[in-house]
Amino acid sequence: METRRDYLKKMGLGALALNIAPVYSYANESIACLKPADARKIYLNANENPYGPSPLARKAMVESVTKSNRYGWSQKPELIAAVAAYNKVSAENIMLGSGSTEILNLVLQYAAQQKGNIVTADNTFNFWMSPAKTLGLEKINVPLTANKENDLTALKSAITAETKLVYLCNPNNPTGTLCKREELIALVQEVSKNTLVLLDEAYIDLTDQESLSSLVSKNQNLIIAKTFSKLFGLAGARIGYAVAHGNTIKKLSSLQSWTNGAISVVSTAGALASLKDVNFIEKTFLLNVEARAYTIKEFEKLNIRCIPSNTNFIYFSLANYTGQFFEQLKKHNIVGTRIYEKEGKWSRITVGKLEDMKVLINALS
Ligand SMILES: Cc1ncc(COP(=O)(O)O)c(C=O)c1O
C-alpha cells in the first residue's frame, strides 16, 4: 500500500523523504498575516501550516487571478484526477468541497435524511456538528480512553438501532492520538455493515499511517474527509474533499446545488500545484516533526505533561505547571486555544515554526 513517502518517491523526491538535512529554507520565510496589525502575533491555535502555501501553489494562484472572470468548469476534472491519484482511487471516488468542513456538513445532511443519532468521541473535532440537532440527529458522546485515544470498543457498544452516523477523527483533534490501523479497519468494516462511517483524516498526511482510502471501492458506507488545509498549507483557500464509493459520492453530490462548484479558480490552481510540490510537502512534514519534538521535550521540563502527538498540534495538561500559562501567551502575543477538559486542565497548542516554539517556551519558562 502506498504511503506519503511512496508518493514522494514516485514524484522523484524519495531521497528527501529519508533525510532530514536539506529542509530548512522555509523555516524563516515570513508568511503574510491577514491583517497588518496581526503581524506581531504568533498563531498557535488553528493547526494551520506555518510555511504554506507552497511556492508552486503561490505562483499558480497568482497566475490564476486573471482567470477569475471565468467559471472553473474545465479545471475541476484535472484537480479531481490529481486528488484521486494522490489517494490511489478513481475520479468517481472524489468529491470536492469548500474545505473538508463542507464535506462534513454534507455528510451530516445526508445522514439526517432519517432521524436518529450520531455516535462520536468526546473530545473530538465537533464544531461542525452544531447543525446536527436542528437536522434531527441526537449526539451520543463516547469518552476517550485515559490515554486520550479513541475508544473503539466503547464507540462500537454505543451504537443503537437509531444510529445514522459514526464519526471518527484519526488522528484525533484535539488529542493528536492515532488509532492502530488494523483495529480501525476492523471497526470500520464491522460498523459500516449497518451504519454510515465518517472518517476524518484531516491530519493523516502528517503521520506515517496510510489513509483508509483503499477501502472505499468496496464499501458504500465509508466516507473519508480530507483537506488541503493542513499539510498542504491552504487553509484559507478552502479546499477539502470526500473519498468514497462512486454511488456514495453521487448521493452526496445530490446535496450540492453545484457539484464541486464551491472552489474558486484560484484555489483550484493552488491545490493542483501544491500536490506537485513534493519538496514542500516533505519539508513541512519534517519541520513539523522537529518543532513538535522540541516543544514536547521543553514542555515536559516545565512539568507540562504531553500526550504523544502524531500531528501538528499537542494536547497537554497544565495540572502540574506552576506558571500563568494563558497570561504568558497573551503577554507574548501568542494565540493559543483554551482548556478542553477542566479535570487535568487539558489544552492544545499548534506546532508552529521552531522559532515560534522557542518564543513560546521562553514565555513559559
Ligand atoms: C479534524 C478536523 N477536521 C476537519 C477540519 C476542517 O478543515 P477544513 O474545513 O479547513 O478542511 C479541521 C480543521 O481544523 C480539523 O481539525
Side-chain angles (χ1 to χ4, degrees):
M1 257 182 260
E2 186 168 66
T3 63
R4 181 186 51 79
R5 292 191 172 199
D6 295 329
Y7 176 75
L8 296 172
K9 274 187 204 155
K10 197 170 69 192
M11 301 291 280
L13 277 161
L16 260 184
L18 303 169
N19 181 357
I20 201 164
V23 298
Y24 294 102
S25 64
Y26 292 97
N28 298 314
E29 199 170 322
S30 74
I31 299 288
C33 282
L34 293 178
K35 291 191 210 153
D38 291 341
R40 282 169 50 240
K41 289 192 180 153
I42 296 177
Y43 287 94
L44 302 179
N45 57 331
N47 306 338
E48 296 150 341
N49 182 332
Y51 312 104
S54 85
L56 290 189
R58 287 182 222 180
K59 187 166 177 283
M61 289 167 95
V62 168
E63 284 169 4
S64 74
V65 165
T66 52
K67 298 174 191 153
S68 294
N69 57 320
R70 302 286 175 203
Y71 289 113
W73 321 113
S74 57
Q75 257 184 333
K76 297 287 160 49
E78 202 188 338
L79 178 58
I80 289 172
V83 167
Y86 178 71
N87 287 281
K88 294 204 87 188
V89 294
S90 306
E92 63 164 16
N93 301 123
I94 302 295
M95 186 181 89
L96 303 174
S98 172
S100 59
T101 304
E102 190 194 359
I103 302 295
L104 301 174
N105 205 272
L106 284 175
V107 176
L108 202 57
Q109 292 176 40
Y110 177 58
Q113 289 173 69
Q114 298 145 354
K115 309 304 168 206
N117 65 52
I118 309 179
V119 172
T120 187
D122 180 23
N123 265 321
T124 193
F125 181 72
N126 57 15
F127 100 96
W128 62 275
M129 288 180 207
S130 47
K133 209 168 175 198
T134 316
L135 290 168
L137 293 171
E138 182 206 340
K139 192 147 67 78
I140 297 180
N141 290 323
V142 178
L144 299 172
T145 66
N147 295 332
K148 309 293 175 196
E149 292 172 351
N150 275 308
D151 190 336
L152 300 186
T153 311
L155 277 164
K156 202 165 73 183
S157 309
I159 294 170
T160 69
E162 278 71 50
T163 300
K164 299 293 179 285
L165 181 66
V166 174
Y167 170 76
L168 246 164
C169 187
N170 188 51
N172 190 44
N173 181 4
T175 58
T177 49
L178 197 60
C179 297
K180 291 196 179 66
R181 194 167 185 273
E182 293 317 311
E183 289 176 12
L184 183 61
I185 290 177
L187 177 96
V188 167
Q189 300 288 36
E190 188 176 338
V191 168
S192 63
K193 283 180 196 154
N194 302 311
T195 314
L196 196 60
V197 177
L198 174 55
L199 181 63
D200 188 335
E201 292 190 338
Y203 300 95
I204 199 76
D205 295 334
L206 282 152
T207 76
D208 273 327
Q209 192 177 92
E210 173 80 9
S211 159
L212 292 202
S213 58
S214 61
L215 301 190
V216 301
S217 63
K218 295 205 175 82
N219 191 330
Q220 300 205 29
N221 265 345
L222 170 63
I223 301 170
I224 301 177
K226 295 189 73 175
T227 184
F228 280 86
S229 296
K230 308 301 175 184
L231 180 68
F232 293 97
L234 289 171
R238 310 303 303 129
I239 312 153
Y241 56 93
V243 188
H245 191 280
N247 293 343
T248 311
I249 291 289
K250 276 190 200 137
K251 287 180 194 156
L252 283 178
S253 301
S254 70
L255 290 166
Q256 267 185 331
S257 312
W258 176 5
T259 302
N260 301 313
I263 303 169
S264 73
V265 164
V266 176
S267 298
T268 309
L272 255 172
S274 69
L275 276 172
K276 294 180 190 141
D277 206 336
V278 288
N279 203 350
F280 174 83
I281 297 172
E282 194 58 10
K283 282 175 179 178
T284 288
F285 184 91
L286 296 173
L287 288 167
N288 178 59
V289 169
E290 184 190 33
R292 184 176 70 200
Y294 163 81
T295 310
I296 291 179
K297 198 173 90 208
E298 296 300 321
F299 266 20
E300 299 286 355
K301 284 186 202 162
L302 295 168
N303 284 328
I304 299 176
R305 180 184 154 213
C306 299
I307 297 294
S309 168
N310 295 276
T311 60
N312 62 345
F313 53 88
I314 300 164
Y315 200 57
F316 56 88
S317 166
L318 292 170
N320 298 322
Y321 176 66
T322 48
Q324 300 297 312
F325 185 86
F326 294 103
E327 284 79 353
Q328 286 305 316
L329 259 54
K330 203 165 170 206
K331 200 168 142 196
H332 291 84
N333 275 316
I334 300 168
V335 186
T337 58
R338 58 188 164 89
I339 294 290
Y340 286 80
E341 290 176 77
K342 274 197 190 128
E343 199 180 325
K345 291 196 197 162
W346 290 95
S347 186
R348 189 196 76 187
I349 200 94
T350 298
V351 177
K353 294 178 182 176
L354 186 61
E355 75 214 43
D356 296 338
M357 303 323 277
K358 286 185 175 166
V359 174
L360 171 71
I361 297 301
N362 278 338
L364 298 176
S365 297

